[in-house]
Amino acid sequence: MNDRTAAYANPHQRVPAVDFDRVVVEVARDGALRFAPRPPGPPPRVDGYLLALTSLEHSPRHLGERHPDGDELIYLVSGQVTVVVEAPGGDQRHRLRAGAALIVPRGLWHRIEVERSARLVHLTPGPSSQHRPASEAPTGGPR
C-alpha cells in the first residue's frame, strides 16, 4: 500500500479534491500522479508528462514549440483555436472547437492561434520541450 492508497484505506480520512486552475498534474514515467502548485508563467517541465488546464485569451507570444520526448495531447474545453502543425510536407491547420482533441506527434513544431478565448487541457511530455521565440521567425517557405 502506498501513500495514495493508504488515504482510501481509512474511511475517516478524506482524499482532497483540488482546483484544477491552481494545480498541474505531474505524471511520472512509472505512472504515479502528483498534484503540484501551478507556478506563474509557462507550465513547468517534468520528466514524464504534465497534465494541465490552460486559459488563452490571445495566441502565445512564441512561434511554436516541440516535444522530442513524446506526443502531446491537446483537448479544447471551450473557445476556438487553430493548431498549426509544421509537418514535413507543409503546415497542417487543425481548427478545434469545444470538445475536440488533437495529438501532435513527437518532435513536430506546432503553435496555437486563438480565435476565441479558449480553455484547453494538455498532456505534454517532458522534460525536453523547446520553444521558438518570435525573434527566430523562419523566412519564407515551409517550416
Side-chain angles (χ1 to χ4, degrees):
M1 182 177 305
N2 63 36
D3 292 341
R4 287 184 220 59
T5 56
Y8 284 98
N10 180 348
H12 302 290
Q13 183 175 355
R14 298 197 39 95
V15 177
V18 298
D19 181 347
F20 203 34
D21 282 316
R22 296 176 186 235
V23 300
V24 296
V25 179
E26 296 176 353
V27 183
R29 296 224 177 258
D30 68 0
L33 302 176
R34 181 178 90 80
F35 288 119
R38 179 190 257 317
R45 297 294 172 215
V46 299
D47 187 16
Y49 276 82
L50 180 80
L51 179 68
L53 174 67
T54 300
S55 295
L56 296 171
E57 296 296 322
H58 306 286
S59 299
R61 291 192 173 110
H62 60 77
L63 293 178
E65 62 182 24
R66 67 179 173 179
H67 312 288
D69 299 308
D71 298 343
E72 179 177 41
L73 173 70
I74 299 170
Y75 170 73
L76 195 65
V77 176
S78 64
Q80 184 171 310
V81 302
T82 295
V83 180
V84 181
V85 178
E86 298 175 17
D91 289 358
Q92 295 180 8
R93 300 178 66 82
H94 304 274
R95 177 173 275 170
L96 303 182
R97 293 188 170 96
L102 178 69
I103 295 174
V104 178
R106 171 195 309 257
L108 291 185
W109 285 102
H110 57 284
R111 66 186 181 276
I112 295 175
E113 298 173 351
V114 176
E115 298 173 25
R116 203 167 51 237
S117 295
R119 289 174 56 85
L120 60 88
V121 173
H122 58 93
L123 182 63
T124 303
S128 303
S129 296
Q130 301 168 329
H131 288 82
R132 184 188 298 141
S135 62
E136 294 179 17
T139 55
R143 293 186 281 273

